[in-house]
Amino acid sequence: MTNDDTTAMRRSPLLIQLGGLYGIWLREVKRAIRDRGQLVGGISRPILWVLILGIGLNPYFRGEVYGEVTFVVPFTYLQFIFPAVVVLNILYTSVQSAVSVIWDREFGFLREVLVSPMSRGMVLLGKVLGGATVAMVHGCLVLLLARFADVPLTLSDIVKALGLMAMLAFALTSLGVVIANRIRSFEGFGVFSNAVILPLYFTSSSIFPLDPALTRAQARITYPEWLVTLVEINPLTYAVDALRGVLIDYNQFDPRLGIAVMAVAGLVLFAIALIDFRRA
Amino acid sequence: MVFQEPSLDDRLTVRENLELHGLVFGVPRALRRKRIEEMLALVELTDWSDKPARTLSSGMKRRLEIARALIHDSEIILFDEPTAGLDAQSRERIWSYVRRLRDERKITVLVTTHYIDEVEGCDRVCVVDHGKVLALDTPDALKRDHCRQVLRIVPKSDDDRQEILSRYADRLEGEAGESILLSSSDSLVEAVLAEYGTRLRSLSIDAPSLEAVFLSLTGRELRDQVAGPRERTLAFGRRGGEHTR
Amino acid sequence: MLTLRRLARDLGGLGIVIGLLLLVSVLPPDTSLDEVKANGAIRACIPTTYPPLVTSDPDRPGLDIELLREVADHIGVELLLSPSDAIGRDFNPRHWAVNRGKCQMLAGGVVDSALTRSFLETGPPYAETGWAVLAPAPIANVEGLTVGVLTLVSGLDRIGLSSYLRANDVAVRVLRNEKALVDGLANGELDAGVTEAVLAGWLAAENGLWVAPLPDELARYNLVFGMWKGDLTLKRKIDQAFRQLESDGTLATVLERYGAARIGQNAPVPEL
């Protein structure tokens, strides 16, 4: 055994960090796959939102007379809400994965990992990447309903959508970690769902459009000003919009804005999470 | 490092828990595989290697954690209350691993515990109270320095009682009911026996124990504290709270 | 071995989820196809005439009409046509009085444009179109000419056309039907005419005129059938019908018969 001992020490530090990164990532993915509760959420959300809400409201958003606009967006409600449900699934799963940081930190594997040779940055990166991967998978579950919602998907659409989803999942998981780091005692996920996820989702222009044909002033006549302002300052609005641009070719804002917002949010949130993490 | 509360991943299998540890601590693949088998055999969990950790009993979990701590090479290993809350069999088993470790792999094993009788076999014992080191020495030295042997005698008659009390006034520790407590040494025991042997109803020697050392060092008051956020979260998890494990 | 079983169990859960979601896709999202089948007929709103898509000749009823019949056959229902004078006549499609009660499909020159999509669901494209210019003899460009414009069925980019014509300093005459265009060219009132490409091709062939598509800066569009937004089941059935028509060669035969094939995607774009 003494011979082995020296070989372990001789590995390059980078290799050790990458191996550990892989280990933590794999753990997150395995845990999520085995968490039946999370899987149930991953399937019930798309079904409820796309199937029930989408179909339920679909007839109220369709044209009855040619030339007459009843829905400001040239899509069915099903198509319109579809990209938003992808975002919703990613949102829930990302935050869920991130929230487990609280438990990991106090009682779980983080305590064990933090005494290892892994650098904290790599531990956090592994955790965030793992959570983001799981969130991506949950987002892809929604994409399975594309045919049902009549969203035509070409290969290039899917690749672009996956890219956006990855950025979004990374940013949201980082956000989850930032919040989790600031919470000392965890007594239920409900508070996250009600205080973070749903408000973000509902004010992201996910379930109703801000008509792009209208000017700012006009939008403020259609909707009360406070609502328009809420939608406009919600960064998630731009992520939903970018994804909508890819999936159903409809943008309310410049699609590059969505990418920029996600990239900046991802980097900033990860940096904050890292600072907190180093301190913790 | 072995923690007081289980820090295993309940949803990973026994083997996956060990794999993760090996990866995080940078143990090369071949060595990792070998060590995992060895350590599973050591803590007698080979048959359970593909069962999720959540299906293990608390004693088995503790054994798994010990196996985990040994996957990578270390010169010192810290056990934070490895036997807390376990049955006698598991405790005995765990201590046998710890002793084997010390002897076979030449590792420094640092153990914290509340079961003071368990540390008798250790090389050095440190008593810590409120973050202050109160004593650090071998068990024998501690007993010698911090705990006196007490002779407990119950004389048959009142006359003898008065006689003993006056004669050994300098050694008197106190009286408890009928018995007289004397700060003792081996020679004193012999002297008392020779002189009063037939006139005593009972005689007993309170041998020094580490428990007595501990109590004499730290006092006897209870240490109550308000539950912090950490305890509240743990309680939530124990109730089966979601998104915990 | 055991680890493999573990893996199978892990992925099994995910597999069940994926299976369930795919199963949901089989559910019909609406009742549009059921309604068509229950009525035993599918109704299509068409303009009264739009050669070669819709003609008044019973032997050659028109490209769109023939395709519609094939589609109706595929669904197994009758085709009912409801021709309307108003279609294509008025700039504002709302005045065509085409609504959900009158017909399930809209045919006869519907193009797949953002404007169409904002009102209608579109079927698969079967021919390409755009603005084309007609003249008695080849012309180098339209600058300074008197041009008759026949817009007919909406959907093509009228705003783009008008700015193009304005930029070329063209005197525009808005025409009401193809007869006015042919007559105008014949009697010299018009130097050239601009209209939808399939119609232009047809008119050129009938009247021995020169035809060319307008340059690329004016977008080219696909000819499609219009359906109501949200009629997903019907749309899927029609898509399926088109795939069938395409694979058994019916589509190519019909296009060939009406000379629309040459305006297809591989047609050379003559220089104007």
Side-chain angles (χ1 to χ4, degrees), chain B residues 127-134 214 218 221-225:
Chain B
V127 179
V128 179
D129 187 37
H130 286 299
K132 276 204 301 260
V133 175
L134 298 180
F214 182 78
T218 59
E221 312 88 64
L222 289 174
R223 282 109 204 278
D224 294 335
Q225 268 178 356

Side-chain angles (χ1 to χ4, degrees), chain C residues 111-238:
Chain C
V111 299
D112 185 3
S113 65
L115 183 65
T116 312
R117 279 179 180 276
S118 64
F119 300 124
L120 297 174
E121 195 75 72
T122 55
Y126 54 88
E128 199 183 49
T129 185
W131 294 115
V133 63
L134 280 165
I139 50 174
N141 59 55
V142 288
E143 216 171 313
L145 300 179
T146 305
V147 172
V149 177
L150 180 63
T151 50
L152 288 179
V153 170
S154 172
L156 287 180
D157 179 12
R158 296 174 193 216
I159 298 163
L161 176 66
S162 79
S163 59
Y164 171 78
L165 293 177
R166 213 176 310 124
N168 280 287
D169 204 16
V170 166
V172 174
R173 302 267 177 79
V174 177
L175 306 172
R176 291 183 68 84
N177 53 43
E178 67 273 9
K179 188 168 178 304
L181 175 62
V182 174
D183 290 350
L185 289 173
N187 62 26
E189 254 175 61
L190 302 170
D191 298 321
V194 170
T195 190
E196 183 272 317
V198 178
L199 174 60
W202 169 269
L203 292 177
E206 296 278 293
N207 303 291
L209 297 169
W210 174 83
V211 63
L214 283 179
D216 286 344
E217 66 218 54
L218 289 174
R220 296 166 72 82
Y221 298 99
N222 289 318
L223 274 174
V224 292
F225 289 141
M227 281 154 278
W228 295 110
K229 277 226 162 288
D231 285 2
L232 265 184
T233 47
L234 182 62
K235 178 188 176 240
R236 276 183 203 156
K237 191 72 182 171
I238 289 170

Side-chain angles (χ1 to χ4, degrees), chain A residues 3-4 26 51 60 76 79 86 90 102 116 121 129 158 170 175 178 188 194 210 212 221 223 230 259 275 280:
Chain A
N3 288 342
D4 299 336
L26 191 66
L51 193 80
Y60 296 95
T76 63
Q79 290 169 326
V86 175
I90 292 178
I102 300 175
S116 75
L129 284 182
I158 294 177
F170 185 86
L175 172 71
V178 169
N194 293 329
L210 289 184
I221 293 167
Y223 293 110
L230 271 182
I259 295 172
I275 293 168

Side-chain angles (χ1 to χ4, degrees), chain C residues 8 17 22 38 41 48 69 131 147 175 184 203 215-217 230 240 250 269:
Chain C
V17 168
L22 286 177
T48 37
R69 284 203 182 130
W131 294 115
V147 172
L175 306 172
L203 292 177
D216 286 344
E217 66 218 54
Q240 193 192 345
T250 317
V269 180

Side-chain angles (χ1 to χ4, degrees), chain C residues 7-8 28 32 39 50-51 59 76 85 94 103 134 140 149 187 204 238 271:
Chain C
L7 190 71
S32 51
N39 293 335
Y50 191 120
D59 295 333
D85 269 343
R94 191 192 276 200
C103 46
L134 280 165
V149 177
N187 62 26
I238 289 170
E271 285 302 317

